[in-house]
Amino acid sequence: MKTFDYVRAGSPEEAAELFAARPGARYLGGGTNLVDLMKLGVERPDVLVDVSRLPLDEVEELPDGALRVGATVRNSDLAAHPAVRARYPALSQALLAGASGQLRNAATTAGNLLQRTRCPYFQDVSKPCNKRAPGSGCGAREGVHRDHAVLGHSPQCIATHPSDMAVALAALDAQVEVYGTEGARSLPVADFHRLPGAHPERDTELRPGELVTGVLLPAAPAGLPSAYRKARDRASYSFALASVAAVVRVTDGVVDHAGIAFGALAHRPWRARRAEQALVGAAPTAAAFEHAIDLELSAAEPLRDNAFKVPLARSLALDVLTRLTAAART
Ligand SMILES: Cc1cc2nc3c(=O)[nH]c(=O)nc-3n(C[C@H](O)[C@H](O)[C@H](O)COP(=O)(O)OP(=O)(O)OC[C@H]3O[C@@H](n4cnc5c(N)ncnc54)[C@H](O)[C@@H]3O)c2cc1C
Ligand code: SF4
């Protein structure tokens, strides 16, 4: 492993300044992804700016009913928080579907959002990979790509984003709050990660040196139905082959709010806007769900070995939508 310096930031302002002062800097959260990538030689920072102990470790209930989650809140603590369990069950379920208890105790909210793809060619420095080494090619396109994208991929990259948590946050209309030397701003989680296009080396819309300070969940009443479901090769300790998060409200016999996002199908959590538009105003019937999900997945362009993901994602989505609206249909 290459040698590197280590500094610990005491405030977001200090973190951004320390980062800006050293071109080869990386922020360090729980380290469960970054340190692994350093051992593999994929990440080679000159300095780690440790942001894991910034005073951003609170889950705060705001007067308007929104919930602010600090960037350093650990995944275990967020999953167990009473307000998250009561008002955003999809988020709690998504967190608990990820990694293992030990990893969730260390992993932070910001680090989870910013974890890198699990594409094996990205993680192997002897292989071509446009994300790790722009212009070197994409080993996965004609190689091993069973786990890769079926939506929104490009000739340059077919990787997926691995986070379970980010899928739930996208369906729940959460915002990412960031801070940089030019000030603070926020952007929707659904638009935070990029599609690969011609620049797969850029995972997100973060500007260089910007620090994620937290995530804002809009107000949701207790009992608003939301859920997360994940299909994977093993029952635990395994990334998704496909997943879905959904929040659906039925009023007077019709759907009046729908937030749906797919995981493991694209380079970012895939917000299913076409399906949502088709559902709002419709009665929550099996036919309406099938029409909406088929409309969304008609955009899929599977690769040689991953066409199975489309019917898998379809089944997960239909199951979740059916279960979430069961009470409204009786
Ligand atoms: C064996 C294994 C199984 C796993 N299974 C799953 C799974 O099923 N589902 C799942 O979702 N995840 C899974 N994970 C991934 C795990 O969730 C991530 O490693 C973890 O969430 C990363 O959080 P961290 O705080 O440790 O991030 P770090 O490793 O510290 O950082 C990750 C990235 O975020 C950046 N970063 C950290 N904090 C900030 C900040 N505040 N602002 C800006 N950038 C920042 C770092 O620079 C780095 O690029 C698994 C990991 C392992 C090792
Ligand atoms: S899919 Fe993306 S991350 Fe994987 S080898 Fe191709 S360019 Fe690299």
Side-chain angles (χ1 to χ4, degrees):
M1 196 199 271
K2 173 178 168 288
T3 57
F4 58 89
D5 294 335
Y6 169 91
V7 288
R8 187 183 295 166
S11 67
E13 295 78 10
E14 189 189 3
E17 281 165 19
L18 285 167
F19 194 105
R22 297 281 292 271
R26 288 283 184 281
Y27 291 126
L28 177 71
T32 62
N33 185 222
L34 179 58
V35 174
D36 280 357
L37 292 175
M38 289 168 66
K39 290 179 189 163
L40 292 168
V42 174
E43 289 277 11
R44 297 172 54 79
D46 293 321
V47 56
L48 290 181
V49 178
D50 186 347
V51 294
S52 68
R53 296 186 212 186
L54 291 179
L56 300 170
D57 58 349
E58 299 285 334
V59 178
E60 190 187 352
E61 301 200 41
L62 304 183
D64 67 353
L67 204 67
R68 171 170 289 126
V69 180
T72 65
V73 172
R74 306 291 157 162
N75 290 178
S76 302
D77 295 335
L78 186 56
H81 194 280
V84 174
R85 290 170 52 127
R87 284 154 45 194
Y88 310 96
L91 177 55
S92 186
Q93 291 163 16
L95 283 158
L96 293 174
S100 65
Q102 271 178 321
L103 285 159
R104 292 193 295 268
N105 287 344
T108 61
T109 304
N112 190 317
L113 270 180
L114 286 157
Q115 61 177 294
R116 311 295 310 272
T117 184
R118 308 304 288 200
C119 174
Y121 300 87
F122 173 75
Q123 295 180 324
D124 182 343
V125 293
S126 70
K127 300 285 192 299
C129 170
N130 287 325
K131 184 181 281 295
R132 177 174 33 75
S136 63
C138 172
R141 182 160 270 281
E142 299 304 326
V144 177
H145 59 224
R146 173 179 175 266
D147 295 342
H148 287 64
V150 294
L151 286 163
H153 52 75
S154 73
Q156 285 80 12
C157 181
I158 56 173
T160 57
H161 192 265
S163 168
D164 292 298
M165 179 193 79
V167 181
L169 291 176
L172 291 165
D173 285 319
Q175 299 268 326
V176 188
E177 299 183 327
V178 306
Y179 177 82
T181 47
E182 291 171 20
R185 64 185 182 115
S186 66
L187 56 169
V189 171
D191 300 332
F192 180 68
H193 299 93
R194 298 178 66 254
L195 291 180
H199 290 286
E201 72 278 9
R202 288 182 52 212
D203 287 352
T204 70
E205 298 292 349
L206 271 186
R207 296 174 190 147
E210 274 185 327
L211 176 78
V212 171
T213 54
V215 166
L216 190 70
L217 284 151
L224 179 70
S226 75
Y228 183 76
R229 196 161 170 216
K230 167 178 179 178
R232 48 190 154 176
D233 282 328
R234 293 188 303 271
S236 73
Y237 214 51
S238 186
F239 289 90
L241 292 166
S243 70
V244 66
V247 50
V248 185
R249 189 178 56 210
V250 178
T251 307
D252 297 332
V254 293
V255 175
D256 68 349
H257 176 78
I260 304 169
F262 286 109
L265 300 191
H267 198 254
R268 66 181 184 199
W270 187 269
R271 185 76 190 249
R273 303 270 184 206
R274 293 172 80 186
E276 293 168 9
Q277 278 167 17
L279 275 182
V280 171
T285 62
F289 297 154
E290 285 174 16
H291 169 70
I293 296 303
D294 288 343
L295 194 64
E296 188 68 45
L297 294 176
S298 65
E301 294 179 289
L303 307 159
R304 185 193 64 224
D305 293 334
N306 69 359
F308 74 94
K309 283 192 170 196
V310 180
L312 181 59
R314 181 181 191 272
S315 301
L316 293 176
L318 295 180
D319 176 61
V320 167
L321 292 173
T322 304
R323 283 195 287 133
L324 286 178
T325 55
R329 281 183 282 109
T330 52

